[in-house]
Amino acid sequence: MFSFSHGCMRLGQTSIIHFTSRLLASASGFVATVFIGRILGSSGLGTYYLILSVVAWLGMAIKMGVTGAITKRISEGEDDVAYTVAGISISLALFVIISALVMLFHEQVNSYIGYPAVAVVVLFLFVNLAQSIANSVLKGQHLVHISGVFNPIRTGSRSLVQITALLAGLGLTGLFIGYTVGYLVVAVLGFWIAIKNFKNIRLPQRYHYHQLLSYAKFSWIGSFRSRAFNWV
C-alpha cells in the first residue's frame, strides 16, 4: 500500500512538473514572438518561421521514429548505452544523407525560403536532432520530469539570446544564434544527466540495431500524422 501510494504521489509530482514546464515554455515563447515581431517585423519573422517549418519536416526524415525507438528500448531496462549509441549512429547517418540532399538542392531550398538559409537549415537540423536524442534517452530512463523542465530552459535561453541579439542589431542572424544556443544548452545538459544514469556499459551489436529499427518502422507514422495535424 505504501509503495502504491508513493508511486501515485511521484507520478502526480512528475505530471505537475511536466505540465508547468510546458506552460512556462509556451508563455515565454509567446512573449518572445510578440517582442521579436515588433522589432524584426512580419517579413523577417515570416522568413524565420518558414525556415523552422522546413527544419521540422526534414527532421522527421532524419528521426524516422528512431528517437521513439530509443525511448522504448531503454525503458525496458537493458543495454541502455548500446541502444543509445546505436540510435545516435542511425540518426547521424540519416542526418548526413538529408544534409547532403539539402546542400545538393541548395538553390531550390533558398528559392523556396526566399533567403540563403541552407547552412542554417543544416545547423538547425543538427542541434534539433541532438536535443531530441538526449530527450528520448532521458524519457527512456524514466526521467520525464527532467526532460520536461528542459522545455522552459530551451525556450527561455533561446528567447533571451534572440532578443538580446536583435537589440544589438543582428537581425535574422540573432534569431539563428538564439535558436542554436537554446537547443545546444538542453542537449548538453540532457546528455550529461543521461550519461550519469547509464547502467549497462556495452557496445551495440547487430541485435540492438534490429530492435531499434523494428520499432521505428511502425512508430514514425505517428510523428508524421502529428506533425501534419499541427501544421494544418
Side-chain angles (χ1 to χ4, degrees):
M1 178 65 68
F2 174 76
S3 60
F4 177 77
S5 300
H6 180 71
C8 289
M9 183 180 297
R10 182 175 180 181
L11 179 61
Q13 292 173 343
T14 300
S15 300
I16 292 173
I17 292 174
H18 189 69
F19 174 77
T20 304
S21 299
R22 293 184 66 87
L23 184 62
L24 290 174
S26 298
S28 60
F30 172 76
V31 172
T33 300
V34 173
F35 195 84
I36 292 170
R38 293 295 297 271
I39 297 177
L40 198 60
S42 59
S43 177
L45 193 61
T47 299
Y48 173 66
Y49 277 111
L50 187 55
I51 293 173
L52 294 188
S53 68
V54 171
V55 170
W57 284 103
L58 292 178
M60 289 175 52
I62 291 176
K63 297 169 187 175
M64 288 294 289
V66 175
T67 53
I70 293 173
T71 298
K72 168 63 176 176
R73 297 311 181 195
I74 291 179
S75 67
E76 295 171 352
E78 295 182 2
D79 298 336
D80 49 359
V81 174
Y83 283 121
T84 299
V85 174
I88 290 175
S89 59
I90 294 172
S91 297
L92 284 179
L94 292 172
F95 167 75
V96 170
I97 294 172
I98 298 300
S99 297
L101 290 174
V102 171
M103 298 296 290
L104 180 63
F105 295 99
H106 65 277
E107 292 183 359
Q108 289 83 350
V109 174
N110 289 337
S111 176
Y112 171 71
I113 296 175
Y115 184 88
V118 168
V120 176
V121 169
V122 172
L123 175 61
F124 282 10
L125 284 172
F126 177 77
V127 296
N128 198 293
L129 176 63
Q131 186 269 335
S132 295
I133 293 176
N135 196 44
S136 65
V137 174
L138 290 174
K139 288 181 178 179
Q141 294 175 334
H142 308 293
L143 299 174
V144 179
H145 56 295
I146 294 179
S147 66
V149 169
F150 283 165
N151 285 327
I153 293 177
R154 182 189 67 207
T155 306
S157 58
R158 180 188 67 194
S159 301
L160 180 62
V161 173
Q162 287 179 335
I163 292 173
T164 302
L166 284 177
L167 293 175
L170 294 181
L172 270 175
T173 303
L175 299 187
F176 303 153
I177 295 173
Y179 183 97
T180 303
V181 170
Y183 274 81
L184 277 181
V185 166
V186 294
V188 171
L189 287 175
F191 277 116
W192 179 66
I193 294 174
I195 290 172
K196 290 178 62 178
N197 287 276
F198 278 149
K199 298 176 181 178
N200 302 311
I201 308 300
R202 181 183 176 187
L203 291 177
Q205 306 296 321
R206 181 178 296 181
Y207 165 81
H208 298 101
Y209 288 95
H210 175 74
Q211 287 292 92
L212 284 177
L213 294 175
S214 65
Y215 184 87
K217 67 182 180 182
F218 295 111
S219 67
W220 73 271
I221 190 66
S223 299
F224 178 81
R225 182 178 60 184
S226 176
R227 179 65 61 185
F229 177 79
N230 286 341
W231 280 106
V232 169

